[in-house]
Amino acid sequence: MLKLKRQIIDKIHDISEVSELREYLQSAIELEHATVPVYLTGMFSLKQAQNVEAGNIVRSVVIEEMLHMSIACNVLNAIGGAPQINKPDFVPTFPGPLPMGVGEDRGLIATLAPLTKEQVKTVFMAIEEPENPIDIPVTSLLQADANYATIGEFYQAIIDKIVQLGEGIFTGDPSRQLADTKWFPSDELWAVTDVETACSALKLIVEQGEGSSKSPTDEEGELAHYYRFAEIYYGKRLVKDASSPVGWSFSGEPVPLNPEDVYNLRHNAKAQDYPEGSTARRYADQTNYTYSSLLNSLHHTFNGEPQQLDHAMGLMYELRLSVQKMVTIDLGNGEFAAPPFQYVATNV
């Protein structure tokens, strides 16, 4: 899975005040969000009604990253914190490392780029790699380094600290909890009110991302993110296989990724890349505004207005419609316009 400096884990272990723990949960929120623009750019690069299976895989991971962000917000709220989402530095700079310097141990650079097998392997799979990938075969992308820890270890350190600090840290207003929504199953997103519900919620994040050391699936039988992306890379579904030494193989139904049906989007686009007054610039400004409004709405959702989630999801739909039009704009030289995912000031 993603790697970060082991010093961060050590600092979590040394925490004595709940205020310090809140800072790391804010970092967790920022990290869970940071992957979304990366994955969305890949998904939006697929021409409509083409490469459907690959697109569905990416979409399924995006939804779970949004779930994980929601879980981290619930835990932060439960221990008396306040998620900060609508601020410029909440959004990473692309290309670049993810929050907390995640991935810098092996030079992982998060990029906004079209969905290619190279992008899937070097970025998507590198981001989601478990601590001990199962040899299905799936080539290990990040070598072990004692100076770095996985995100699984990061969350486990937070879990351990919550257990250590005990029930007394749960001073947050229960009305700020996001639960019982139509957007996420009740067995995946629930109100966090004590040590047990907090630890169970954080463990779900790790399971959905990593699977286990013995199985590529989580407790619900769904493939962990790393192995879902591997299906795109290998072009086959991962299925149980009694003839395989590990009981699994990439020998199921095809998962096609036809390069001809992928828009060659401008990599790591910025609104200022496009000339003032151009159609591409108009769409870039529009998508930035909608994206920033979405972050504003999510900020309100997790700061006492959970009913705002419906509005946020509406903005997500609006963003998708805008980007689907934007990516058809031919910039010449074989390039197409791409959404920038930049935070801008809005009226809401």
Side-chain angles (χ1 to χ4, degrees):
M1 203 176 187
L2 297 169
K3 302 275 185 171
L4 73 165
K5 290 182 179 178
R6 188 163 292 279
Q7 295 170 332
I8 294 176
I9 306 298
D10 294 338
K11 288 180 179 178
I12 296 174
H13 287 155
D14 292 339
I15 285 175
S16 59
E17 300 291 336
V18 68
S19 59
E20 300 171 272
L21 184 58
R22 292 172 189 146
E23 294 177 13
Y24 287 103
L25 280 163
Q26 174 65 34
S27 295
I29 294 166
E30 293 173 9
L31 178 61
E32 296 298 342
H33 160 265
T35 62
V36 173
V38 176
Y39 299 157
L40 282 180
T41 300
M43 187 178 78
F44 288 139
S45 72
L46 303 179
K47 296 180 180 179
Q48 289 195 50
Q50 305 299 322
N51 293 315
V52 174
E53 292 299 317
N56 286 341
I57 288 172
V58 179
R59 181 177 180 274
S60 73
V61 174
V62 168
I63 290 172
E64 288 188 353
E65 296 295 357
M66 294 170 64
L67 167 66
H68 298 170
M69 178 179 163
S70 300
I71 290 172
C73 286
N74 270 355
V75 177
L76 179 54
N77 272 324
I79 63 172
Q84 300 300 305
I85 297 173
N86 61 345
K87 56 179 185 174
D89 60 358
F90 182 79
V91 182
T93 298
F94 300 105
L98 294 172
M100 296 186 288
V102 165
E104 66 180 17
D105 60 310
R106 291 293 179 258
L108 171 65
I109 301 297
T111 55
L112 304 181
L115 194 69
T116 62
K117 290 200 173 186
E118 181 68 14
Q119 175 76 346
V120 169
K121 181 178 182 181
T122 62
V123 179
F124 288 25
M125 290 173 65
I127 286 175
E128 300 289 351
E129 185 179 25
E131 183 177 1
N132 297 298
I134 301 170
D135 186 13
I136 298 182
V138 177
T139 304
S140 181
L141 301 168
L142 302 175
Q143 301 301 314
D145 186 327
N147 294 317
Y148 289 86
T150 67
I151 291 301
E153 292 175 274
F154 169 73
Y155 277 116
Q156 187 58 52
I158 292 177
I159 290 169
D160 292 343
K161 186 55 61 174
I162 287 174
V163 171
Q164 180 185 339
L165 294 177
E167 301 294 349
I169 66 174
F170 289 88
T171 59
D173 182 352
S175 70
R176 293 166 69 96
Q177 292 293 309
L178 187 65
D180 299 321
T181 79
K182 62 184 177 184
W183 303 105
F184 300 113
S186 60
D187 60 350
E188 294 185 351
L189 183 67
W190 54 81
V192 173
T193 56
D194 54 21
V195 170
E196 180 181 359
T197 51
C199 293
S200 296
L202 294 173
K203 286 176 182 177
L204 178 67
I205 295 178
V206 179
E207 289 169 2
Q208 289 188 336
E210 290 194 4
S212 73
S213 60
K214 296 181 179 180
S215 173
T217 64
D218 60 22
E219 290 188 355
E220 284 70 45
E222 296 292 332
L223 286 180
H225 297 176
Y226 177 71
Y227 301 100
R228 288 186 223 176
F229 287 147
E231 289 182 322
I232 300 175
Y233 181 73
Y234 288 105
K236 293 278 189 177
R237 290 288 185 182
L238 179 58
V239 295
K240 290 185 176 181
D241 183 351
S243 66
S244 167
V246 294
W248 296 81
S249 68
F250 290 95
S251 59
E253 294 295 317
V255 181
L257 182 60
N258 182 359
E260 294 182 359
D261 293 320
V262 179
Y263 289 111
N264 182 30
L265 302 184
R266 174 165 291 184
H267 290 217
N268 304 304
K270 306 287 185 293
Q272 54 267 33
D273 291 347
Y274 309 115
E276 288 278 2
S278 66
T279 302
R281 179 58 177 269
R282 177 167 59 84
Y283 272 104
D285 290 340
Q286 180 181 331
T287 55
N288 277 345
Y289 190 91
T290 304
Y291 170 58
S292 300
S293 297
L294 169 61
L295 294 181
N296 289 339
S297 187
L298 289 173
H299 179 84
H300 293 304
T301 297
F302 294 111
N303 282 276
E305 302 176 53
Q307 70 278 5
Q308 278 279 334
L309 183 61
D310 286 346
H311 181 243
M313 290 303 183
L315 287 167
M316 176 65 77
Y317 180 72
E318 184 180 326
L319 179 68
R320 186 184 75 178
L321 293 180
S322 178
V323 173
Q324 283 177 337
K325 295 176 182 177
M326 184 179 187
V327 297
T328 66
I329 300 172
D330 191 341
L331 302 174
N333 300 317
E335 263 193 333
F336 288 80
F341 291 104
Q342 295 168 286
Y343 187 84
V344 299
T346 69
N347 295 326
V348 292

